[in-house]
Each structure stands twice: as structure tokens, then as C-alpha cells.
Amino acid sequence: MCKKVVFEILKMLWEGLLNLFYPEGVSCSICGDEIGDVEIDLCKNCIGEIEFIKDSFCEKCGKILSDANKSLCSDCRRKDHYFVKGRSVGVYEKGLKEYIYLFKYNRYRNLAAPLGDLMGIYIDRFFSRRDFDLITYIPSHQERIRERGFNQARLLANRVGERLNLESKGLLKRRSETIKQSKLARAERIENIKGKFILKDGILVKDKSILLVDDIYTTGATVNEASKVFLDKGADKIQVITLATGRDVE
């Protein structure tokens, strides 16, 4: 075999190894366009479809305020919450709403990575990593997991945990199935979720600071009920991060 042929074979093998470990053409997790070497696997166009929450949000829950001169949304002015602080990446509209739908209902599991990365960026902005002893998530009922194939909050929490170098753990379980919160009015949501979470056997949260992860914040009934369970068991404080939230309605 001539030297030229050997050289070409070795060159092909080397290029194959480079493509294996440093693949060209990383693509956007939403549209598939090539995006190159970026921190988040989303292209500029798909990121541009998200209305990120940067200012004029409720100091307590993170919801977009209808009156920028106020510090709390109408929900938080009416009722206190068991969690200390909640923040969301963006508004539950347009692109982000579509991406969450693809993730939850069209089984786009690969979206857990870029969406979880966005949450990680917002955690760095609004929280201190040293604040958390535990990362957990809102549990899904087994019927929902059978329908979707996964619990989206768990996948997001796992990704967040990777960024924070802190293992995400399932601390809660549901007592029973509930009517979907999205189908209910505010007062009905609070009643529907009341008493539905319990701590898993053998789990200790006394004096722990907990980061609670979920996909969508609306009235806060779900994360508030989960926070209550932790505090009743002696947790120090609960903070909440979600992908999306709504706008305050006076």
C-alpha cells in the first residue's frame, strides 16, 4: 500500500475522531438550523421568540406586573406564600408557550437541555447558588407520566442540577390524581391541589434550603402547596424557579 493511500486513510480516521468528539453543525433543538458552538442549543431566531422577564416583575413570585410602580402583583398583595421567592425565565406566550407545549405534549425530550440551561442562567441572575442545599421538582401523577413518557419538571430539575453541580432529587409524591390545574379557575386550583403532596418516606428536609423547579407558574397554587409540605417538615426556606409565568391581572 503506497504512502499516499495510507496517509489518506489516517486522515479520514483522524477527521472521524474529531467529528465524534467535536461535532460540526450543532443544530437548534427547536428548528434544526445549524448554530455552531453556543452555550444553549437554540438559534437566535428561536431565542428571539421568547419574551424574557428582565424587569417590572413581582418581587415575590416573579410575575409580570400590570403596574410597574407596584412591587407586588395582585395575587401576592392578597395572599402571602410559603415560598420566599419565585422567578421565571419568560412570559407564557408566543415562542416559550410553543416550546413548552412541544416539550410536554409532543415528547421533545431534547428540549430539557436548552430550557433547563435558560433556567440555570436565571438562577445565576436572581439567586445565589450557595442558597441551596437541595434541588427538587413538582411530582407528576403516574397517569401523566404514562401519557407523556416523563415528568417534564424532573428533566428540567436534572439539567438545573447539572449546572449547579447539585443533584436533583425527588422529595415529594402525590397522594392522588388531580384535575389538571390548567382547566380550573384560581380558587378551584387552590382547592384542587390542597393536601395532594406528601414527603417521600425517609426524606429529611429539616433546616434545609430548597430550590423547587416547575415548568409554569400561574396562580402559584402548586408550588405553594409543595412549599407548605417542606416547611411543615422543618425546612428552612423554599425558593422557586419556573420556565414561564403569566401577566398580572388586576
Side-chain angles (χ1 to χ4, degrees), residues 39-66:
E39 182 182 3
I40 297 174
D41 294 344
L42 294 176
C43 69
K44 290 181 179 179
N45 288 336
C46 289
I47 288 178
E49 292 297 314
I50 300 174
E51 184 178 345
F52 291 99
I53 297 176
K54 302 172 183 176
D55 49 33
S56 299
F57 52 80
C58 174
E59 292 180 359
K60 182 71 174 183
C61 74
K63 188 178 294 184
I64 288 286
L65 294 169
S66 57

Side-chain angles (χ1 to χ4, degrees), residues 2-145:
C2 68
K3 290 183 179 179
K4 185 176 180 181
V5 173
V6 172
F7 175 79
E8 289 298 325
I9 292 173
L10 291 174
K11 182 181 177 183
M12 289 172 61
L13 289 172
W14 176 246
E15 288 175 348
L17 284 171
L18 286 178
N19 286 331
L20 178 63
F21 291 106
Y22 303 101
E24 294 181 6
V26 176
S27 59
C28 173
S29 296
I30 300 291
C31 68
D33 283 355
E34 193 170 306
I35 53 178
D37 184 19
V38 293
E39 182 182 3
I40 297 174
D41 294 344
L42 294 176
C43 69
K44 290 181 179 179
N45 288 336
C46 289
I47 288 178
E49 292 297 314
I50 300 174
E51 184 178 345
F52 291 99
I53 297 176
K54 302 172 183 176
D55 49 33
S56 299
F57 52 80
C58 174
E59 292 180 359
K60 182 71 174 183
C61 74
K63 188 178 294 184
I64 288 286
L65 294 169
S66 57
D67 184 348
N69 294 316
K70 293 179 179 176
S71 60
L72 296 176
C73 69
S74 55
D75 277 346
C76 292
R77 291 199 305 272
R78 284 195 299 263
K79 182 175 184 274
D80 198 9
H81 298 294
Y82 293 105
F83 57 87
V84 173
K85 180 171 71 175
R87 292 292 181 266
S88 298
V89 171
V91 183
Y92 188 54
E93 296 174 359
K94 301 177 184 176
L96 190 53
K97 184 176 183 178
E98 177 187 347
Y99 305 157
I100 292 173
Y101 185 89
L102 289 173
F103 179 37
K104 288 175 69 171
Y105 302 110
N106 284 14
R107 302 194 178 191
Y108 277 46
R109 291 184 65 139
N110 63 313
L111 290 182
L115 296 179
D117 287 340
L118 288 176
M119 297 173 87
I121 290 170
Y122 265 63
I123 288 168
D124 285 339
R125 179 178 178 185
F126 292 112
F127 302 93
S128 169
R129 294 188 181 206
R130 295 188 299 274
D131 262 359
F132 312 127
D133 299 310
L134 299 169
I135 299 176
T136 192
Y137 49 87
I138 296 295
S140 286
H141 192 272
Q142 287 304 312
E143 184 177 332
R144 297 278 186 270
I145 293 175

